[in-house]
Amino acid sequence: DCFEQSLSIDSLASPGKVDSAIIYNAGLIADQGKNYDKARFYYNRCIDIRYGGAQVFGLLAILDKNQGDTAAYMATLERGMKVYPDDCQPLLVEVTNHYMQQDQSDLALEYLAKAIEREPNNASFFFAQGAMLDKLGKTDDAKVAYEKAIEINPEHFDSWLNLGVQVYNKAVEMAKAANDIPANKPKEYDAAIAAAFEQMNKAIPYFEKCHTINPADTYTMQALKECYYKLRQTHPEYNDKYNDIKAKLEAAE
């Protein structure tokens, strides 16, 4: 009400004057107060006077989404990206997150590529790209994306973790294949299971790096505990590490 009164006074005192900041804040307050019709009105006025840049399109789009109008939500984001092609990063992120939430990985990857093109040093974008590629079964491409994220941010926990999970999952697949070997071929089985364990061993450095970055993460500790336990017969150096991580997990519980 105060913002609107201020706008009325301005229009009387200075006909033709446009107080863009008050219009913008009126929209924000209306939005927060769930007066969505007024919020939409003021956001659109900001767009008309080109105040607030791409951010206003994002606010209007989220308002549409929260009211269940997905078509208007997408149309607003697309319009914002066309009006502000050089300043549309928040809109690209919003579109990408939307498609990720909808399990539309191909479309999410398309917009992620645009986001990366505009912000090539954003580790989170490369991680998200890797996660999407992983979901599509494109493991090798996902690995490249995770490694790029780590190149940008060497302490990017999630990228280290997913790389470790990739290596570990391959070890699990190799162990399953070994178990399918007939019982009358013990040498072949022994060789296959040994190869699976060595593949598992390759996952440990990734999980150890995760534990260094976030010592409180129990998922990583559980992964290390399992790897150390399974490999301690062939790698005696893991005995102490197993006991140490086991104690940390028990303390965390």
Side-chain angles (χ1 to χ4, degrees):
D1 288 342
C2 290
F3 282 129
E4 288 187 326
Q5 287 177 25
S6 177
L7 288 170
S8 296
I9 293 168
D10 280 347
S11 65
L12 291 172
S14 305
K17 177 183 176 182
V18 177
D19 195 326
S20 50
I22 290 181
I23 293 171
Y24 176 77
N25 283 302
L28 286 179
I29 295 300
D31 199 345
Q32 292 171 16
K34 298 184 179 180
N35 191 335
Y36 298 127
D37 288 340
K38 281 194 174 181
R40 188 184 308 281
F41 172 76
Y42 287 116
Y43 287 154
N44 277 311
R45 282 195 65 186
C46 286
I47 289 170
D48 290 341
I49 62 176
R50 296 184 70 87
Y51 181 82
Q55 182 183 10
V56 179
F57 281 95
L59 292 168
L60 181 58
I62 292 169
L63 190 155
D64 290 329
K65 185 178 183 180
N66 290 341
Q67 291 190 292
D69 193 342
T70 305
Y73 163 79
M74 291 302 300
T76 299
L77 291 173
E78 292 285 357
R79 186 158 58 103
M81 285 186 277
K82 288 180 180 177
V83 174
Y84 295 100
D86 299 322
D87 187 32
C88 65
Q89 199 67 10
L91 305 183
L92 283 169
V93 172
E94 181 65 31
V95 174
T96 301
N97 287 337
H98 170 73
Y99 283 128
M100 288 171 69
Q101 290 164 6
Q102 298 299 313
D103 286 331
Q104 294 179 280
S105 300
D106 288 336
L107 288 170
L109 282 170
E110 179 184 328
Y111 279 95
L112 267 174
K114 294 178 182 178
I116 288 170
E117 185 179 344
R118 287 175 167 80
E119 198 172 328
N121 292 317
N122 189 317
S124 295
F125 288 160
F126 282 101
F127 167 75
Q129 185 183 54
M132 287 292 99
L133 290 165
D134 248 343
K135 203 167 188 177
L136 293 171
K138 299 179 180 180
T139 310
D140 291 340
D141 291 337
K143 182 174 183 288
V144 172
Y146 294 142
E147 289 174 343
K148 182 62 179 178
I150 289 169
E151 180 185 325
I152 295 167
N153 177 9
E155 302 298 298
H156 199 272
F157 175 90
D158 290 329
S159 293
W160 283 108
L161 179 62
N162 281 18
L163 283 170
V165 170
Q166 278 192 346
V167 176
Y168 180 86
N169 285 344
K170 185 176 179 181
V172 171
E173 291 172 5
M174 292 169 69
K176 286 180 180 178
N179 289 329
D180 290 336
I181 295 172
N184 62 353
K185 296 182 178 180
K187 289 184 178 180
E188 188 176 330
Y189 169 80
D190 289 344
I193 206 71
F197 280 171
E198 280 311 301
Q199 174 66 21
M200 184 180 294
N201 189 44
K202 294 176 183 177
I204 288 179
Y206 295 103
F207 293 142
E208 287 182 335
K209 178 64 176 180
C210 288
H211 185 55
T212 300
I213 296 169
N214 184 2
D217 183 70
T218 56
Y219 179 89
T220 304
M221 286 191 278
Q222 190 63 49
L224 284 170
K225 178 187 173 186
E226 184 177 346
C227 291
Y228 291 150
Y229 180 81
K230 289 182 176 179
L231 296 171
R232 61 184 180 167
Q233 297 299 321
T234 53
H235 295 77
E237 67 273 19
Y238 290 153
N239 276 300
D240 290 340
K241 289 188 174 186
Y242 169 77
N243 292 327
D244 180 56
I245 207 72
K246 182 172 178 286
K248 287 182 179 178
L249 263 174
E250 290 171 353
E253 294 169 356

